[in-house]
Amino acid sequence: MALDFLAGCVGGAAGVLVGHPFDTVKVRLQVQNVEKPLYRGTLHCFQSIIKQESAFGLYKGIGSPMMGLTFINALVFGVQGNTIRALGKDTPLNQFLAGSAAGAIQCVICCPMELAKTRMQLQGTGEYKLKSKNYKNSLDCLVKIYRKEGLKGINRGMASTFMRETPSFGFYFLTYDCLTRYMGCEVEDSYIIPKLLLAGGMSGIVSWLSTYPVDVIKSRLQADGVGGVMRYQGILDCVRKSYRAEGLRVFTRGLTSTLLRAFPVNAATFATVTVFLMYMRSEDNQIKENQIRGDLSGCEAGPAIQQPSSF
């Protein structure tokens, strides 16, 4: 279980570094004013941010996910691995249930973290140099929101986050499990890294497609009030007003940048986690085998034969 948590930390950090620019673009597209849009699409948004705010503009708000996602991934992979062991059998249904449980539990951390990330990403939109900063960093953002709105403020969007994360993580782990089994991922396979990257990337895409409309609503609720005016009274009110103003298309706003981000981020995350666990568990097994051989022979044992790990 400790290895699951540690592997999640390492994988989470790798995923954040790869995917944060895409996430910034996604949020900007999701919350922009449809009557006066700043960006025409994903590529134009990328170009505009770099031109107006420099390349560092793509990494606005990275402090929050870097602090939070490394711990969240540790929690997710730890809970998922422990739940699978508790359920007893490694079946597709149990993979979905374990993933859903992990997704639901991490909402407590994920929601405030994404709130701070969203507010930071929207700060200074279109400005190369910020004229004024409402928030110095992600922690300062959460502190100021708490002082102004209390616990309710820093948990804004909790219900929509729960509705998004619970099923999406179920599909996330189920897809990865099915793909790694189908492709026959084994330790001795010379193509194991490309296979893990493909399985992880596709898992991320399936996960996002399964609940993306809910993510649009979550982003809008968490961005609500940034300009000083509250537009939505809750999830249903946000759905109604968004649909009336922009039609069904609103629920896919930013999807292109999200999917472009989903593949490399989750490919990096899952491949890092799996390779880390394979390496650490093989080392642990070798130490145990050496100890057993030493106990049996009374002398120093030779190197143990590495056995393939089960996924």
Side-chain angles (χ1 to χ4, degrees), residues 175-186:
T175 303
Y176 186 73
D177 180 66
C178 290
L179 287 176
T180 51
R181 290 177 188 273
Y182 176 77
M183 292 187 290
C185 295
E186 296 293 344

Side-chain angles (χ1 to χ4, degrees), residues 5 8 70-80 102 105-107 109:
F5 278 98
T70 50
F71 181 74
I72 283 175
N73 268 27
L75 184 63
V76 164
F77 282 92
V79 170
Q80 191 269 347
I105 289 173
Q106 57 89 46
C107 286
I109 304 166

Side-chain angles (χ1 to χ4, degrees), residues 279-298:
Y279 176 78
M280 294 301 292
R281 284 171 178 164
S282 66
E283 288 288 312
D284 187 48
N285 289 338
Q286 183 172 327
I287 291 171
K288 288 179 180 178
E289 281 196 38
N290 286 342
Q291 288 175 341
I292 292 172
R293 289 179 181 179
D295 291 340
L296 292 174
S297 65

Side-chain angles (χ1 to χ4, degrees), residues 273-284 306 309:
V273 168
T274 305
V275 171
F276 180 87
L277 287 175
M278 286 165 51
Y279 176 78
M280 294 301 292
R281 284 171 178 164
S282 66
E283 288 288 312
D284 187 48
Q306 181 173 311
S309 299

Side-chain angles (χ1 to χ4, degrees), residues 80 83-84 87 89-101 169-171 173-175 177-178 181:
Q80 191 269 347
T83 304
I84 280 289
L87 291 172
K89 293 184 179 180
D90 186 3
T91 63
L93 176 60
N94 286 349
Q95 283 286 347
F96 182 85
L97 293 175
S100 296
F169 270 94
F171 286 113
F173 283 98
L174 173 61
T175 303
D177 180 66
C178 290
R181 290 177 188 273

Side-chain angles (χ1 to χ4, degrees), residues 120-283:
M120 290 291 293
Q121 286 172 326
L122 296 175
Q123 183 171 249
T125 300
E127 298 179 13
Y128 188 80
K129 290 186 178 180
L130 290 180
K131 297 176 182 177
S132 61
K133 285 186 178 182
N134 292 324
Y135 313 115
K136 297 176 183 177
N137 50 50
S138 299
L139 181 59
D140 179 59
C141 178
L142 288 176
V143 169
K144 287 182 176 176
I145 293 173
Y146 176 76
R147 287 175 179 170
K148 185 178 180 180
E149 305 175 49
L151 284 174
K152 184 178 179 180
I154 62 174
N155 286 298
R156 183 183 298 279
M158 179 63 78
S160 54
T161 301
F162 182 83
M163 290 167 59
R164 182 194 71 178
E165 299 292 81
T166 303
S168 71
F169 270 94
F171 286 113
Y172 187 52
F173 283 98
L174 173 61
T175 303
Y176 186 73
D177 180 66
C178 290
L179 287 176
T180 51
R181 290 177 188 273
Y182 176 77
M183 292 187 290
C185 295
E186 296 293 344
V187 176
E188 67 274 9
D189 189 347
S190 58
Y191 296 104
I192 187 169
I193 298 299
K195 287 181 178 180
L196 293 177
L197 290 170
L198 177 61
M202 292 306 299
S203 299
I205 288 176
V206 170
S207 172
W208 274 108
L209 286 175
S210 67
T211 58
Y212 190 77
V214 182
D215 183 66
V216 175
I217 299 304
K218 180 202 71 70
S219 292
R220 293 197 164 204
L221 289 172
Q222 291 187 326
D224 198 25
V226 170
V229 179
M230 299 295 292
R231 299 171 59 192
Y232 311 117
Q233 297 176 359
I235 295 175
L236 292 179
D237 185 53
C238 182
V239 171
R240 283 195 296 267
K241 288 180 178 177
S242 298
Y243 175 71
R244 286 173 185 170
E246 304 173 56
L248 285 173
R249 188 177 179 181
V250 67
F251 301 112
T252 60
R253 189 175 295 282
L255 180 60
T256 301
S257 60
T258 299
L259 297 183
L260 285 173
R261 167 182 175 266
F263 191 93
V265 167
N266 294 288
T269 300
F270 256 125
T272 301
V273 168
T274 305
V275 171
F276 180 87
L277 287 175
M278 286 165 51
Y279 176 78
M280 294 301 292
R281 284 171 178 164
S282 66
E283 288 288 312

